[in-house]
Amino acid sequence: MVCFFSILAIGYALVHLYITFNPMPTLLQRNFHLMVGLAMVFLLYPAFKKQGRTQVPWYDWILFGLSTTSCIYLFVVYQDIVTVRGGIANTMDIMMAILTVILVFEAARRVTGWILPVLALLFLAYPFFSHQDWLPRMLLTRPFDLADIFGQLYTKTEGLFSTAIGASVQFIFLFILFGAFLAKSGMGKFFNDLALALAGHKQGGPAKVAVISSAFMGSVNGSAVGNVVSTGAFTIPLMKRIGYDKNFSGAVEASSSIGGQILPPIMGASAFIMAETTGISYGTIALSAIIPAFLFFLSSIMQVHYRAGRANLRGLPKADLPQLKKVLKEGWHLTIPLVSLIVMLFSNVPVSYAAFYTIIITVIVSWFRKHTRMNVKDILQALETGTRQALSTIVACGVVGIVIGVVNLTGFGATLSSAITSLGAGSLMLTLILTMFASIVLGMGLPSIPAYIITATMAAPALAEFGIPVLIAHLFVFYFGIFANITPPVALASFAASGLAGGDPMKTGFISLRLSIAGFIVPFIFVYAPAMLLINPDGLPANTTDFPFAAISDIMMVAVSSTIAVIAISAAVEGYIKTHLSIMTRMILGMSSLLLIVPELITDIIGYTIIILIFILNYIKSNKEPSAALPLKEGLD
């Protein structure tokens, strides 16, 4: 079975590399991507976690066969569907569609748990009852029959084979494959060694290493949970070794892995999907994300720094750390694929082509040094590993396709946007808060790309009512859809990290939220101060796709005030600067930092004054009365 799966996975990856330049018709390409992916899920994931997987039981071989049958069926009847029936489903189509939906639900249950399939099942149930008089008026639609519902899901590119699977086959799979090749070439070790050399000896060094290495790898591999599992196995034990408690150690890894999804230039491949969805150039999106990403990681680093000072947690001995000069000498060549990718993307090379070329460049570059050289076995293992890592995203995209299909069929997206706007009662701030909660709920249990696609479809339109430019609206919902992975009760990244750290899942989730506090504030700032995104949308329509640069003075003002606010909030959260802060001082510091977020001169002056005064007094106090380290408590201290 292992050999069969390896051959299937490698073949699957090679087919995707081939169709990058020789694409099939859209429906068939997405059908192959999803259904063969499902077939492999049934071989790899047991029906119940306690079963293990020493061999494939007979019923999983049946599910494997049904998945491949559904795939083959659509290839056989494709011409009839598009040329004779115009996408209208017949009885056999409906039966195959129902079978496929069941297979998607079961695969999602095995891979992601119950929450995502249950959410999609609720959406699927809606068109069966959406014409009933007992529903609220705004939810009423015309009656739909089985052909309407399952034809939408199966015979068109607006359901199971929607933009979510389209993004997976065109971009996500290739970049996950690219990440697997990078890891096989030694890029993961290079990033870890580089981070250790730069920050390992500093106060709280291992936690800073976790932030830096997880940020870079998370941006490339496009999966926060996958990044937690891969880099966390290295970073979490290091953090625990110097004294960070297990919950905090797991939270640092989870928060940083989530942050990788918003870090340009790759942003976990989300930048490419956003460019495709909005029509805004990739370069504009990548540049706009720079300052928000910097603020997010600044918040994480400052919190781990202050916590280390509070408990007197020192870094690792320099003798135990790699030397920066040696790390760069032995691994500098591994940065060539990333640099090449950025150059190609900014040169408007098609994204899928750029991903393909970068995989080839990675293999070639690996030959520059003996210790990174990839042989045929390594290449085949990278193809298989990339396929394995992509399966969870493929399944999630399939489930999201069901949601998107129902939304397109019933107009539920417009209904949700209208409801958010109505509840907002004309208040932009209240509408933003409601949109934030809607995006978090819609992003529960989803990888970054499906989370963005579904929030962009259902939540972002609500912001258009206020004339918010499409770039700002999409970045806003993208941020909160991503942060659903660290927001209890469905904090998958935090739960994965807690498993590695041996901590409590819910406590780890809440600490992850605290470490990511800047990420929950920054989107509100760039709505009110678009200069943070380096753009000036004044006088432009909301649907514009081309923006002039903001004035340098405006960019500097929002960047400086936001940076100081993030540092102050981090100190208030941890209760420490150079020495401990009282509860009252922490409250005043936190409120003062929020004043800097409001784009008004008077609030900035008041905020700056109070923050600077508190920092000066704390430094004076630390020199007069050096404070003893306080023991760190488990949990939310």
Side-chain angles (χ1 to χ4, degrees):
M1 193 281 288
V2 174
C3 183
F4 174 73
F5 180 88
S6 298
I7 294 171
L8 184 60
I10 292 168
Y12 184 74
L14 291 174
V15 169
H16 280 78
L17 292 174
Y18 174 79
I19 62 178
T20 299
F21 295 94
N22 302 277
M24 307 177 196
T26 300
L27 183 64
L28 296 183
Q29 184 163 291
R30 295 177 182 181
N31 165 53
F32 168 81
H33 180 70
L34 175 61
M35 300 315 299
V36 177
L38 290 182
M40 286 189 286
V41 166
F42 294 123
L43 294 183
L44 189 62
Y45 291 86
F48 303 98
K49 291 182 179 180
K50 293 181 179 179
Q51 282 184 332
R53 191 53 118 192
T54 54
Q55 61 180 9
V56 180
W58 61 269
Y59 51 82
D60 281 343
W61 282 113
I62 291 176
L63 294 176
F64 173 87
L66 291 174
S67 299
T68 53
T69 299
S70 176
C71 177
I72 294 169
Y73 173 80
L74 208 52
F75 273 85
V76 171
V77 302
Y78 174 73
Q79 288 299 326
D80 186 53
I81 289 175
V82 298
T83 60
V84 178
R85 293 192 271 120
I88 299 174
N90 61 23
T91 302
M92 192 62 189
D93 295 338
I94 294 172
M95 292 175 61
M96 295 303 297
I98 293 172
L99 170 64
T100 303
V101 168
I102 293 171
L103 292 171
V104 169
F105 279 143
E106 171 57 13
R109 182 193 67 80
R110 295 186 182 199
V111 175
T112 67
W114 283 100
I115 293 174
L116 183 56
V118 167
L119 176 65
L121 187 60
L122 292 174
F123 272 91
L124 181 59
Y126 174 56
F128 287 96
F129 304 100
S130 60
H131 62 287
Q132 299 293 331
D133 292 337
W134 47 266
L135 283 175
R137 181 164 183 164
M138 67 186 306
L139 294 178
L140 288 175
T141 69
R142 69 174 178 85
F144 299 105
D145 58 23
L146 287 176
D148 292 328
I149 298 169
F150 288 100
Q152 173 85 357
L153 295 180
Y154 189 69
T155 62
K156 301 176 182 177
T157 56
E158 298 173 347
L160 284 164
F161 311 116
S162 68
T163 53
I165 283 294
S168 182
V169 68
Q170 284 185 278
F171 311 120
I172 304 173
F173 182 84
L174 292 175
F175 276 93
I176 292 176
L177 205 60
F178 170 47
F181 273 83
L182 280 181
K184 201 66 181 176
S185 70
M187 174 60 83
K189 184 179 185 304
F190 170 69
F191 275 143
N192 282 330
D193 287 348
L194 183 61
L196 279 171
L198 290 171
H201 63 287
K202 303 288 186 181
Q203 178 175 293
K208 295 173 183 176
V209 168
V211 173
I212 296 169
S213 61
S214 297
F216 282 114
M217 290 307 296
S219 179
V220 173
N221 66 25
S223 170
V225 175
N227 194 67
V228 165
V229 174
S230 57
T231 63
F234 168 78
T235 60
I236 289 174
L238 281 181
M239 286 185 274
K240 293 170 68 177
R241 173 180 164 186
I242 70 161
Y244 285 108
D245 76 65
K246 55 191 176 185
N247 294 317
F248 190 85
S249 299
V252 170
E253 179 58 43
S255 174
S256 303
S257 295
I258 284 292
Q261 312 301 296
I262 62 172
L263 179 66
I266 300 177
M267 299 169 67
S270 299
F272 316 128
I273 315 302
M274 195 175 296
E276 178 117 334
T277 303
T278 63
I280 299 170
S281 71
Y282 160 80
T284 299
I285 293 169
L287 289 173
S288 294
I290 290 175
I291 294 179
F294 165 76
L295 294 172
F296 178 91
F297 288 107
L298 176 65
S299 172
S300 296
I301 287 176
M302 292 311 299
Q303 285 187 62
V304 300
H305 175 77
Y306 288 139
R307 172 160 287 226
R310 173 182 160 193
N312 196 28
L313 304 181
R314 298 298 148 201
L316 298 170
K318 280 195 173 184
D320 295 346
L321 299 174
Q323 297 178 354
L324 179 60
K325 185 177 180 180
K326 184 178 180 181
V327 171
L328 292 175
K329 181 180 179 180
E330 294 182 353
W332 68 270
H333 61 291
L334 296 175
T335 63
I336 293 176
L338 289 175
V339 174
S340 302
L341 175 63
I342 294 169
V343 170
M344 283 187 280
L345 291 173
F346 275 93
S347 301
N348 295 319
V349 174
V351 176
S352 56
Y353 290 9
F356 178 92
Y357 295 144
T358 310
I359 291 172
I360 303 301
I361 292 170
T362 301
V363 175
I364 295 173
V365 164
S366 74
W367 297 339
F368 289 7
R369 292 284 190 277
K370 184 177 180 180
H371 66 281
T372 62
R373 191 169 299 153
M374 296 179 67
N375 54 34
V376 174
K377 181 180 178 181
D378 292 328
I379 293 171
L380 294 177
Q381 287 178 346
L383 291 169
E384 180 183 351
T385 300
T387 299
R388 284 174 177 263
Q389 292 174 345
L391 292 180
S392 60
T393 302
I394 294 169
V395 170
C397 286
V399 179
V400 168
I402 295 173
V403 175
I404 292 175
V406 172
V407 168
N408 289 333
L409 180 67
T410 62
F412 183 79
T415 301
L416 179 62
S417 298
S418 176
I420 291 174
T421 304
S422 299
L423 290 171
S427 167
L428 175 57
M429 177 56 74
L430 182 56
T431 301
L432 289 174
I433 292 171
L434 291 171
T435 305
M436 174 187 73
F437 284 118
S439 299
I440 290 173
V441 171
L442 293 171
M444 288 191 308
L446 292 176
S448 57
I449 299 294
Y452 165 65
I453 291 171
I454 195 168
T455 53
T457 301
M458 300 178 64
L463 302 181
E465 298 291 329
F466 287 87
I468 295 175
V470 64
L471 171 61
I472 298 175
H474 280 244
L475 281 174
F476 186 90
V477 300
F478 170 62
Y479 264 61
F480 291 114
I482 293 298
F483 294 147
N485 273 281
I486 54 169
T487 306
V490 189
L492 296 186
S494 298
F495 294 169
S498 71
L500 289 174
D504 179 271
M506 293 304 290
K507 288 181 179 178
T508 302
F510 282 111
I511 297 173
S512 300
L513 278 182
R514 191 175 69 194
L515 286 164
S516 305
I517 188 170
F520 285 83
I521 296 173
V522 162
F524 288 90
I525 300 178
F526 62 60
V527 168
Y528 287 98
M532 176 178 281
L533 302 180
L534 311 182
I535 62 172
N536 179 12
D538 292 346
L540 298 175
N543 62 352
T544 190
T545 58
D546 191 20
F547 301 91
F549 265 101
I552 297 297
S553 58
D554 291 340
I555 295 173
M556 292 300 297
M557 185 176 296
V558 70
V560 170
S561 62
S562 299
T563 297
I564 294 174
V566 163
I567 293 173
I569 288 175
S570 301
V573 165
E574 285 300 328
Y576 186 91
I577 301 175
K578 291 295 286 185
T579 187
H580 304 287
L581 300 170
S582 67
I583 294 295
M584 182 59 67
T585 303
R586 293 170 69 175
M587 293 175 62
I588 294 172
L589 187 60
M591 288 187 288
S592 300
S593 62
L594 293 177
L595 290 176
L596 297 183
I597 293 172
V598 181
E600 298 290 343
L601 180 60
I602 185 64
T603 56
D604 283 354
I605 292 173
I606 295 171
Y608 280 132
T609 302
I610 296 174
I611 290 170
I612 292 171
L613 182 61
I614 289 175
F615 270 69
I616 290 174
L617 291 175
N618 189 265
Y619 271 77
I620 293 173
K621 180 183 176 184
S622 70
N623 290 329
K624 288 182 177 180
E625 303 174 7
S627 57
L630 291 183
L632 294 180
K633 302 173 184 178
E634 297 286 335
L636 302 177
D637 56 322

